[in-house]
Amino acid sequence: QLFHIKSYKFGRYLTSSADGTVSTTEFATKENPDAKPDESAQWLLMRSPHGGHFLVSKQNERNLAVSAAAVVPTESSDTTAASSAKDRLSSSFLSLHTSVLSASTTSSVIPSSSNATQVCLQDQNDRTESWNIELVTGELCFMSAPSIQKQMRCDMMGRLTLTSTAKGWEVFRFIESG
């Protein structure tokens, strides 16, 4: 089954391009309010032999992955990582703002501020391509990369980064694309 993965807070869809770039795109804009997500925003959810799931781009038939430049985290961990999904979702909802700052309609992936880790497409079928999908309520979820123990997030400018802190930007919505 195909899904669209949409940032809950900023309404931007996770997309992929032919060159393997992963970004977020705002399809419906003031200029074109009825625009619908295209094939670049369609993802297939498949079980990973490493645990968790592969998120496979329909357009490229490649997996969403953490780049090979990933640094394994140290033993010190954020208290947020130990909190329950319900607690994290509650804190995420508390931090939601009613106004959204819109930037350009497409924004590229940038490295996380803590290291050179980034999200991209790969087809090695290894652990860096496995994601833990933690469904919280209905279709709302957190997506975390167990290989580096961080969650994917979308900021107000549409940039994808990986983080171990919860600011409400880590909540995504799985939407059936049928």
Side-chain angles (χ1 to χ4, degrees), residues 78-172:
D78 193 317
T79 56
T80 309
S83 66
S84 72
K86 186 176 179 181
D87 293 339
R88 287 187 299 172
L89 185 61
S90 296
S91 67
S92 295
F93 280 127
L94 289 175
S95 66
L96 293 177
H97 300 289
T98 55
S99 63
V100 175
L101 176 61
S102 294
S104 62
T105 58
T106 303
S107 184
S108 297
V109 175
I110 62 165
S112 154
S113 60
S114 61
N115 58 37
T117 305
Q118 62 182 332
V119 179
C120 59
L121 292 180
Q122 294 179 358
D123 57 3
Q124 304 301 312
N125 293 326
D126 65 14
R127 188 169 183 240
T128 63
E129 298 170 26
S130 293
W131 294 85
N132 289 334
I133 311 296
E134 189 175 355
L135 291 173
V136 185
T137 61
E139 70 278 4
L140 295 181
C141 68
F142 294 101
M143 293 185 294
S144 57
S147 62
I148 60 166
Q149 300 174 354
K150 291 189 178 199
Q151 293 179 332
M152 183 169 33
R153 73 175 184 174
C154 172
D155 71 11
M156 67 181 81
M157 302 303 283
R159 292 178 296 219
L160 289 173
T161 56
L162 296 165
T163 184
S164 57
T165 61
K167 295 183 181 182
W169 298 356
E170 303 81 25
V171 182
F172 286 85

Side-chain angles (χ1 to χ4, degrees), residues 17-36:
S17 65
D19 68 357
T21 303
V22 178
S23 58
T24 62
T25 301
E26 185 179 33
F27 284 94
T29 61
K30 288 179 184 177
E31 298 81 28
N32 191 2
D34 297 324
K36 302 288 184 217

